[in-house]
Amino acid sequence: MNLEQEIKRYSKMNGYLIATYEPINCACGGKEFNLHSDDTEGGAYAVCLECKAEHDLENSRQYIEEAIFNICHCDNDRFEIGVGKAYYDDSTDTQWVYVGASCKACELEGVYVDWQVR
Ligand SMILES: [Zn+2]
Ligand SMILES: [Zn+2]
């Protein structure tokens, strides 16, 4: 399974199937990130491991109150990250955002945080 498929599977179970998926890429060419998220408020940002640039995912960082530093079950903190989005019917307004991550050490994939857009 790849990360997009995993997010799709998760989003289907959640009842808001993703319409789009995009991997996070840094302007420096970096593809590995640390992932910080707030599951309660719903928000996340990623930090590029190459250049330390911070990527605000879907302008959600403003909602973060207490960020968790995400670590895989295998203790690794380097991830490839992808964002899936579900839209309202007949609309291009985002309804639900899913942030998935793929561990660079053990290849475990999962959705780390998701939220309904306010
Ligand atoms: Zn970078
Ligand atoms: Zn892992």
Side-chain angles (χ1 to χ4, degrees):
M1 191 144 15
N2 66 30
L3 185 54
E4 179 175 4
Q5 286 170 337
E6 172 57 21
I7 295 177
K8 198 170 262 178
R9 186 191 68 79
Y10 181 101
S11 70
K12 200 171 179 180
M13 283 187 349
N14 189 47
Y16 303 94
L17 186 66
I18 57 167
T20 62
Y21 168 81
E22 265 183 77
I24 303 299
N25 292 304
C26 189
C28 79
K31 292 184 189 306
E32 294 184 20
F33 302 87
N34 286 150
L35 177 63
H36 303 258
S37 67
D38 183 334
D39 293 358
T40 310
E41 301 301 322
Y45 66 98
V47 180
C48 173
L49 295 180
E50 289 287 330
C51 73
K52 304 297 174 199
E54 298 188 357
H55 299 253
D56 184 352
L57 303 182
E58 298 300 313
N59 297 313
S60 65
R61 190 169 176 171
Q62 58 188 310
Y63 300 108
I64 294 178
E65 288 185 358
E66 215 172 318
I68 292 168
F69 181 70
N70 290 281
I71 296 172
C72 183
H73 298 294
C74 74
D75 269 351
N76 169 53
D77 60 10
R78 291 160 38 238
F79 298 100
E80 280 184 29
I81 296 174
V83 175
K85 292 193 282 189
Y87 296 103
Y88 286 99
D89 290 340
D90 304 320
S91 168
T92 52
D93 291 337
T94 306
Q95 183 172 22
W96 211 286
V97 175
Y98 304 88
V99 177
S102 171
C103 175
K104 295 302 291 178
C106 73
E107 297 184 353
L108 185 73
E109 290 149 350
V111 171
Y112 277 72
V113 58
D114 64 284
W115 62 85
Q116 185 161 24
V117 175
R118 307 135 189 101

